[in-house]
Amino acid sequence: MDFMQVLQTRESCRAYQDKPVSREQLMKIVEAGRLSPSGCNAQPWKFIVIDEPEAKAKMSDALVVEGGATGCPWRDSVPAFIALVEQPAKVMPAVKEYYGDTQRFAQGDIGMAAMNMCYEAMELGLSTCVLGMCDQAKMEQYFGVPEGHEVRMVLAVGYSAEDKEPRAKVRKPIEEVCSFNKW
């Protein structure tokens, strides 16, 4: 499958088989994240793999925020999770001087790592869903995430329980999102 086909067929999975994901597969996914580009090569990430039953139960709880909202009502069926945690970035002095911030690129860097991880999972025959909602205090309590290190997203990882054709991508027209040489 060529890369454009990958882009056209990769989709979020919200129904997983009751089948474990091997640590070898999980490490390949993490390696894809680790190899991602980052501003000033800061690599402002830490990946926490959650695959043991007790840890998965804690993650299920952490995916529910104050007030009871969750972006993952099917979380108890997920075989493994990978939390992507923002680390302090070491950037060039000029970047810090200009922006007054060392974290200027960190969230974009973590986003690139997440997509690399999703594509590697797909290559391994696995499915993923990027989850953006979790309770930071629970993540700190349950998984030892240091205060001030934000969990930016969590990847659900497993074998899809659905055997169907990918949905057609609904995207804005290219003319709406791209221009040359001016707005």
Side-chain angles (χ1 to χ4, degrees):
M1 175 178 314
D2 74 20
F3 190 64
M4 289 305 283
Q5 288 176 305
V6 168
L7 294 174
Q8 291 168 347
T9 58
R10 190 257 161 218
E11 61 185 5
S12 295
C13 177
R14 293 173 179 87
Y16 293 91
Q17 294 178 32
D18 183 20
K19 179 179 176 182
V21 177
S22 74
R23 288 230 167 141
E24 179 183 354
Q25 290 171 307
L26 291 166
M27 289 305 297
K28 285 181 179 180
I29 294 167
V30 169
E31 180 68 357
R34 189 182 75 86
L35 292 174
S36 299
S38 61
C40 302
N41 197 30
Q43 304 170 58
W45 46 60
K46 168 90 175 182
F47 308 111
I48 303 173
V49 178
I50 294 102
D51 67 343
E52 294 178 350
E54 185 178 317
K56 289 191 316 182
K58 289 178 179 177
M59 177 57 81
S60 255
D61 184 50
L63 290 172
V64 179
V65 299
E66 188 175 331
T70 183
C72 189
W74 34 266
R75 62 196 175 279
D76 292 332
S77 70
V78 176
F81 297 95
I82 303 172
L84 289 82
V85 184
E86 184 177 332
Q87 295 282 80
K90 294 180 181 170
V91 295
M92 296 183 311
V95 171
K96 182 178 180 186
E97 184 179 311
Y98 184 76
Y99 292 110
D101 181 11
T102 62
Q103 299 305 107
R104 173 71 180 190
F105 311 124
Q107 289 182 42
D109 295 343
I110 290 168
M112 288 190 287
M115 281 316 309
N116 276 2
M117 295 166 88
C118 289
Y119 293 138
E120 177 61 17
M122 188 176 177
E123 174 71 19
L124 295 170
L126 296 162
S127 295
T128 55
C129 188
V130 179
L131 309 171
M133 181 182 279
C134 68
D135 185 310
Q136 179 68 28
K138 289 177 183 176
M139 294 299 290
E140 292 172 10
Q141 176 188 351
Y142 296 156
F143 303 108
V145 175
E147 188 175 330
H149 291 68
E150 290 290 320
V151 177
R152 291 297 175 193
M153 61 189 73
V154 175
L155 294 182
V157 182
Y159 293 93
S160 178
E162 299 178 331
D163 185 23
K164 60 180 181 64
E165 290 296 313
R167 297 179 301 269
K169 298 278 183 183
V170 178
R171 297 293 186 263
K172 295 176 182 178
I174 194 125
E175 300 80 17
E176 189 177 328
V177 299
C178 177
S179 60
F180 286 87
N181 305 311
K182 64 178 182 169
W183 183 262

